mmCIF file of all heavy atoms in Angstrom:
data_model
loop_
_atom_site.group_PDB
_atom_site.id
_atom_site.type_symbol
_atom_site.label_atom_id
_atom_site.label_comp_id
_atom_site.label_asym_id
_atom_site.label_seq_id
_atom_site.Cartn_x
_atom_site.Cartn_y
_atom_site.Cartn_z
ATOM 1 N N CYS K 52 65.995 -9.253 45.691
ATOM 2 C CA CYS K 52 67.061 -10.228 45.968
ATOM 3 C C CYS K 52 66.841 -11.512 45.164
ATOM 4 O O CYS K 52 65.712 -11.961 44.980
ATOM 5 C CB CYS K 52 67.066 -10.538 47.463
ATOM 6 S SG CYS K 52 68.127 -11.922 47.921
ATOM 7 N N HIS K 53 67.943 -12.102 44.697
ATOM 8 C CA HIS K 53 67.849 -13.344 43.924
ATOM 9 C C HIS K 53 67.721 -14.575 44.810
ATOM 10 O O HIS K 53 67.245 -15.607 44.377
ATOM 11 C CB HIS K 53 69.084 -13.497 43.019
ATOM 12 C CG HIS K 53 69.203 -12.408 42.008
ATOM 13 N ND1 HIS K 53 70.387 -12.097 41.369
ATOM 14 C CD2 HIS K 53 68.292 -11.520 41.537
ATOM 15 C CE1 HIS K 53 70.199 -11.076 40.546
ATOM 16 N NE2 HIS K 53 68.934 -10.706 40.639
ATOM 17 N N HIS K 54 68.183 -14.462 46.062
ATOM 18 C CA HIS K 54 68.152 -15.638 46.945
ATOM 19 C C HIS K 54 67.638 -15.272 48.331
ATOM 20 O O HIS K 54 68.367 -15.415 49.325
ATOM 21 C CB HIS K 54 69.563 -16.242 47.088
ATOM 22 C CG HIS K 54 70.225 -16.515 45.785
ATOM 23 N ND1 HIS K 54 69.780 -17.504 44.927
ATOM 24 C CD2 HIS K 54 71.285 -15.935 45.167
ATOM 25 C CE1 HIS K 54 70.553 -17.520 43.849
ATOM 26 N NE2 HIS K 54 71.461 -16.563 43.958
ATOM 27 N N ALA K 61 66.140 -10.454 52.341
ATOM 28 C CA ALA K 61 67.212 -10.374 51.334
ATOM 29 C C ALA K 61 68.473 -11.057 51.852
ATOM 30 O O ALA K 61 68.781 -10.980 53.044
ATOM 31 C CB ALA K 61 67.497 -8.916 51.017
ATOM 32 N N CYS K 62 69.209 -11.721 50.937
ATOM 33 C CA CYS K 62 70.388 -12.487 51.363
ATOM 34 C C CYS K 62 71.560 -11.569 51.692
ATOM 35 O O CYS K 62 72.421 -11.902 52.493
ATOM 36 C CB CYS K 62 70.778 -13.505 50.293
ATOM 37 S SG CYS K 62 71.557 -12.759 48.829
ATOM 38 N N GLY K 63 71.610 -10.412 51.054
ATOM 39 C CA GLY K 63 72.718 -9.483 51.320
ATOM 40 C C GLY K 63 73.964 -9.770 50.503
ATOM 41 O O GLY K 63 74.895 -8.969 50.500
ATOM 42 N N GLY K 64 74.003 -10.899 49.803
ATOM 43 C CA GLY K 64 75.237 -11.280 49.111
ATOM 44 C C GLY K 64 75.119 -11.421 47.598
ATOM 45 O O GLY K 64 76.135 -11.470 46.909
ATOM 46 N N CYS K 65 73.911 -11.459 47.063
ATOM 47 C CA CYS K 65 73.763 -11.680 45.624
ATOM 48 C C CYS K 65 74.024 -10.378 44.857
ATOM 49 O O CYS K 65 74.186 -9.307 45.454
ATOM 50 C CB CYS K 65 72.379 -12.242 45.298
ATOM 51 S SG CYS K 65 71.054 -11.052 45.515
ATOM 52 N N CYS K 68 71.524 -7.678 45.678
ATOM 53 C CA CYS K 68 71.733 -7.096 47.014
ATOM 54 C C CYS K 68 72.929 -6.145 47.015
ATOM 55 O O CYS K 68 72.901 -5.107 47.677
ATOM 56 C CB CYS K 68 71.909 -8.191 48.057
ATOM 57 S SG CYS K 68 70.346 -8.983 48.515
HETATM 58 ZN ZN1 LIG B 401 70.285 -11.116 47.707
#
Side-chain angles (χ1 to χ4, degrees):
C52 170
H53 298 160
H54 308 291
C62 74
C65 70
C68 284

